[in-house]
Amino acid sequence: SIAIIDTGFCIRALSKNYPKIIFKEIYDATETNTQDACTLSEDHPRLHGQEVTKIFLENFKDASVTIYPLTVFDKNGIQSIEAWNKAFNWVVKNNINMVLTASGFPHKNKLSSYPQLPIITFAPAGRIERMIKRDTLLYPQLLAPHEKLFVIGSYDERGIDSHTLYKDVVDYYLPSE
């Protein structure tokens, strides 16, 4: 079983496109998302999790796997460390085998404590862009190196993405989309 932690998901569309994969009900760690994500346009920012899931599942089309989508972005697209903590507590309670996220909780000042990683977690290295600067801290990426955290970077025909954060702790580089 795999938990995918991100912005949002349209389970009906995923089930239609990947009929061999079992999709469970979305767990909203913020308890604020009341709008059906299936009513949003495909390019809506709240469906980032949907796109990440589709890319991931292209490698597992015929696999027997159960996906548990978890949302840590509230109805306004804002994350909190409390939502991440609730998500990881849910993962433990529900005996999930692995976590995949394509996001991270951005913040400026180091917090006194962070939720621990209870199971193997794959997370992106992060990328400098509009909302994320070179000095932005990302959770769970800032825990690296960590025995249960695998940080993924990206590259293209020009090489490693020069906007990548946490380059010094990247475990794997994958081609960018």
Side-chain angles (χ1 to χ4, degrees):
S1 59
I2 302 169
I4 299 182
I5 300 176
D6 211 292
T7 57
F9 309 85
C10 174
I11 299 302
R12 291 189 302 275
L14 288 170
S15 296
K16 180 181 170 189
N17 292 331
Y18 302 95
K20 293 183 178 183
I21 296 172
I22 299 166
F23 294 92
K24 296 296 187 174
E25 186 176 333
I26 298 168
Y27 172 71
D28 177 11
T30 72
E31 300 175 12
T32 66
N33 292 300
T34 56
Q35 183 180 12
D36 181 355
C38 296
T39 64
L40 302 172
S41 64
E42 284 188 23
D43 62 344
H44 193 282
R46 187 159 159 238
L47 290 178
H48 181 261
Q50 179 87 2
E51 291 307 307
V52 168
T53 302
K54 288 183 342 191
I55 292 167
F56 175 71
L57 292 179
E58 283 302 311
N59 297 298
F60 297 95
K61 287 182 196 173
D62 298 319
S64 175
V65 65
T66 302
I67 302 292
Y68 292 83
L70 283 73
T71 304
V72 292
F73 289 77
D74 70 13
K75 66 181 178 181
N76 298 313
I78 307 297
Q79 301 179 64
S80 70
I81 200 66
E82 293 80 16
W84 279 90
N85 193 41
K86 284 177 70 176
F88 276 114
N89 286 339
W90 188 94
V91 162
V92 170
K93 180 180 173 188
N94 289 277
N95 298 312
I96 303 299
N97 301 108
M98 181 183 93
V99 169
L100 170 69
T101 184
S103 62
F105 171 61
H107 53 292
K108 291 287 180 196
N109 300 312
K110 191 166 181 147
L111 304 177
S112 59
S113 68
Y114 293 94
Q116 291 304 303
L117 299 178
I119 62 170
I120 292 175
T121 300
F122 292 87
R127 191 169 193 285
I128 300 165
E129 51 190 50
R130 187 173 54 90
M131 300 292 288
I132 299 173
K133 308 299 178 208
R134 186 154 308 279
D135 62 344
T136 300
L137 299 171
L138 290 177
Y139 169 85
Q141 294 85 338
L142 60 76
L143 299 177
H146 187 286
E147 65 183 6
K148 294 181 182 175
L149 177 62
F150 294 89
V151 178
I152 311 298
S154 66
Y155 68 90
D156 61 19
E157 63 278 349
R158 296 177 305 248
I160 294 173
D161 185 344
S162 63
H163 293 94
T164 299
L165 293 175
Y166 296 98
K167 285 182 188 174
D168 55 336
V169 293
V170 169
D171 295 292
Y172 300 101
Y173 282 95
L174 300 175
S176 59
E177 284 290 312

